[in-house]
Amino acid sequence: MIQLPKEKEITIISKPSLQSNEVSLKVVNADFAQNFVNHFDFTKKQLFIDCDEDALLEIDPNLKGFDKRLLWESGNLKLTEGEWISFQNTIPALSPFLAQDKSGKDLMLAWGKKESLLSAVESGLGTYYSRSRKGKWVKGEESGHLQNLAAIYIHSNPFFVQYVTDQIGAACHTGYYSCFFRELGANDSISFVYTSKVGE
């Protein structure tokens, strides 16, 4: 069975189908996540893992009851000025940011700050916080694989940001379209979602 990194928190993303923008997530410790993987029912659900092995994507057709709020769409805030100012005071210091394409495919899970979200609202580009570089990170600013945002949703309990984007090129630094390019299966099997990397 795949061994998740012990020193990291693991994000478990859950949704009813691969092509769904309805999604929830939770951040758990490594032991909880490893137990989740070890006892996963592969006969009824699908499970994918990201490139850094610190995010899992669960596809469970029985999931429902998702709750999100549209914050921004096509360059326009969907809150009043007062709501927007008040909302900014509720943004955690650091929180998960999930990017999906318009079809509902999950592209990547990263982390962001208040400044990341404000920058995304201003620029319309997928923006995060790089913990390794300790600063703002606009996805694709070096590679050209930008995320042109179509919408931004906000979730609570726990708080996380959901970007819906037109992904240019590869979302994953490995060259795959999505960071979730491996599907886990029964009997410790791992299969690749894509036959090739972007541009090959």
Side-chain angles (χ1 to χ4, degrees), residues 61-190:
N62 293 319
L63 291 175
K64 52 183 176 289
F66 298 94
D67 188 25
K68 63 186 178 186
R69 182 176 187 184
L70 180 62
L71 175 70
W72 177 98
E73 187 175 38
S74 303
N76 299 302
L77 269 173
K78 296 300 181 180
L79 307 182
T80 66
E81 185 175 351
E83 287 174 330
W84 176 229
I85 292 170
S86 177
F87 167 74
Q88 291 180 44
N89 295 324
T90 69
I91 302 173
L94 192 68
S95 56
F97 280 49
L98 174 67
Q100 299 179 322
D101 68 14
K102 288 181 176 177
S103 77
K105 186 181 295 294
D106 300 271
L107 300 173
M108 56 181 277
L109 187 285
W111 292 78
K113 293 190 166 191
K114 175 181 177 178
E115 293 76 16
S116 315
L117 183 57
L118 297 184
S119 179
V121 164
E122 183 70 27
S123 68
L125 295 173
T127 308
Y128 307 87
Y129 176 78
S130 171
R131 291 188 282 186
S132 60
R133 288 178 277 182
K134 295 182 171 56
K136 184 176 86 168
W137 165 39
V138 177
K139 172 64 183 169
E141 62 185 342
E142 295 174 5
S143 66
H145 296 172
L146 293 165
Q147 293 175 342
N148 293 311
L149 301 180
I152 303 173
Y153 292 93
I154 299 300
H155 299 250
S156 55
N157 301 318
F159 181 96
F160 73 95
V161 174
Q162 177 187 359
Y163 288 151
V164 178
T165 179
D166 281 317
Q167 174 68 49
I168 299 173
C172 187
H173 73 280
T174 62
Y176 287 105
Y177 178 66
S178 164
C179 291
F180 297 94
F181 58 83
R182 292 171 296 169
E183 181 174 4
L184 306 182
N187 303 315
D188 298 348
S189 68
I190 299 176

Side-chain angles (χ1 to χ4, degrees), residues 6-33:
K6 290 286 187 186
E7 72 283 1
K8 291 184 176 181
E9 289 186 314
I10 310 295
T11 304
I12 300 176
I13 304 158
S14 300
K15 54 192 295 194
S17 73
L18 279 171
Q19 308 293 352
S20 175
N21 285 125
E22 300 303 320
V23 63
S24 65
L25 64 72
K26 58 188 173 185
V27 180
V28 301
N29 64 42
D31 288 340
F32 182 100

